[in-house]
Amino acid sequence: MSNGMSSREIRGLFLEFFRERGHDIVPSAPLIPRDDPTLLFTSAGMVPFKPHYLADEPPIRRAVSIQRCLRLSDLDEVGHTPYHATFFEMLGNFSFGDYFKREAIEWAWEFLTKVLELDPGILWVTVYKDDDAAAEIWRSVIGFPEERIVPLGDKDNFWGPAGDSGACGPCSEIHYDMGPESGCGRPDCKPGCDCDRYFEIWNLVFPQYFQSADGTRKQLKKPGIDTGMGLERLLSVLQGVKSIYDTDLLMPLVTAIGD
């Protein structure tokens, strides 16, 4: 599909959507995290908010941001797939002891299908294998087809912490179906397959645990929400191109380097 939206338009629509739903717009934090010895770089949108998940009285309850991120964990994949990069912008909405899974799922679905007008018929979702609550929200509240809800394990659908300690929890990812010509050709292909057919565009994380450096976890007093949607990935879908490097955000750089 291609709806002609530019990167500037998408940024504005995202911030305004969540501002209307009571979120404070927070500017992007520096790439070098402040006062966080567990991370060398800001690798996710939630990094600046890590203390908020643990605070009895966080300074804000809801936030929305477009965070500039630097992530080196996928460095070996850059250039081999159409969607990996080291530097990217992450669209995210956050709750610190305020709303939880139902609102996060409802708003994500509304933004994608109503505001951006993505076709619901080519979207899939994954949930953590033990997260019956999230799966039930997708089924009963959203009315999402059971056959396109895929339960996956820790590797795919449990996120965090950012660094060696911090908030973490199960997640639900929204995937875009790039079509059978982009995949492995197997009739049972679905999200979780190693091929490139299903393109993750938004990860809804439900931080409900604190993980210590030794790997032990305890329940957070107040669970929260941490979502992340890569702007470049979203643009490749909306602008109908096959790679993040063909979007209006990165193509000018590619052209300049080529020249």
Side-chain angles (χ1 to χ4, degrees), residues 16 20 31 48 52 59 87 99 104-105 144 183 198 211 235 247 258:
E16 182 60 20
E20 291 175 349
L31 282 181
H52 293 14
F87 175 83
Y99 63 86
I105 291 173
F144 201 80
Y198 297 97
Q211 181 170 308
L235 284 171
T247 64

Side-chain angles (χ1 to χ4, degrees), residues 128 154 158 160-161 168-169 209-212 214-219:
Y128 185 57
D154 288 45
F158 195 95
C168 61
Y209 305 104
F210 177 83
Q211 181 170 308
S212 301
D214 63 3
T216 58
R217 293 173 184 160
K218 62 180 182 180
Q219 290 277 349

Side-chain angles (χ1 to χ4, degrees), residues 19-95:
R19 187 196 65 78
E20 291 175 349
R21 287 152 183 78
H23 294 65
D24 290 331
I25 297 176
V26 179
S28 178
L31 282 181
I32 306 298
R34 293 191 180 104
D35 303 320
D36 188 345
T38 70
L39 288 169
L40 184 58
F41 300 114
T42 298
S43 58
M46 64 85 67
V47 168
F49 303 118
K50 286 172 66 175
H52 293 14
Y53 290 100
L54 308 178
D56 290 332
E57 292 297 331
I60 53 177
R61 289 289 182 179
R62 299 180 179 189
V64 59
S65 70
I66 302 175
Q67 176 62 48
R68 300 179 184 94
C69 299
L70 185 60
R71 185 178 295 177
L72 303 182
S73 56
D74 294 329
L75 186 60
D76 290 341
E77 300 297 329
V78 175
H80 295 284
T81 77
Y83 50 82
H84 279 99
T86 50
F87 175 83
F88 56 94
E89 295 179 57
M90 185 173 284
L91 313 175
N93 59 288
F94 307 88
S95 164

Side-chain angles (χ1 to χ4, degrees), residues 17 101-111 137 141-142:
F17 180 86
K101 296 180 183 181
R102 176 167 178 158
E103 294 89 340
I105 291 173
E106 285 184 312
W107 287 336
W109 188 247
E110 181 182 357
F111 184 74
I137 292 168
V141 178
I142 304 301

